[in-house]
Amino acid sequence: MAEDSAGVAGLKVMVIDDSKTIRRTAENLLKKEGCEVVTAVDGFEALSKIAEHKPDVLFFIYNDHVTSFFFDHYSAFALGVGESYPVADEGGGARDL
């Protein structure tokens, strides 16, 4: 059994990211803490797995790339839980929405 230094042992975590490197890194770190991990490359794949796997936690890094000039950088879907999401300041000041 893994040492539960983060207090998360036993949680089922779904890691959602389009980067294989980020998915694998998060998966390895979470497994070391005793988590069961399910991965998905995007929100669409996550939705197809949620009913079957019933994760306790969704782990994702969301970067909207709204200021990108390339349409393939626009995120198609995001999952999250929270009361609100403030506009992020990526160094050029917060954008008006």
Side-chain angles (χ1 to χ4, degrees):
M1 180 90 177
E3 180 184 333
D4 186 21
S5 62
V8 296
L11 287 178
K12 185 181 290 187
V13 180
M14 179 176 283
V15 175
I16 309 163
D17 201 282
D18 61 345
S19 166
K20 185 175 183 178
T21 302
I22 290 175
R23 286 194 313 273
R24 285 283 170 91
T25 301
E27 180 179 21
N28 290 336
L29 291 171
L30 289 164
K31 282 184 175 181
K32 284 182 183 178
E33 296 297 332
C35 295
E36 180 181 340
V37 180
V38 178
T39 63
V41 298
D42 58 28
F44 297 109
E45 184 180 6
L47 282 176
S48 73
K49 293 182 173 184
I50 283 177
E52 177 185 352
H53 296 283
K54 296 179 176 42
D56 301 305
V57 175
L58 300 178
F59 175 89
F60 66 94
I61 299 170
Y62 178 71
N63 187 346
D64 62 3
H65 297 285
V66 169
T67 57
S68 174
F69 291 107
F70 302 99
F71 288 111
D72 62 338
H73 289 166
Y74 285 75
S75 299
F77 195 84
L79 298 172
V81 176
E83 292 292 322
S84 66
Y85 294 94
V87 176
D89 179 357
E90 296 176 343
R95 299 181 309 270
D96 291 330
L97 293 179

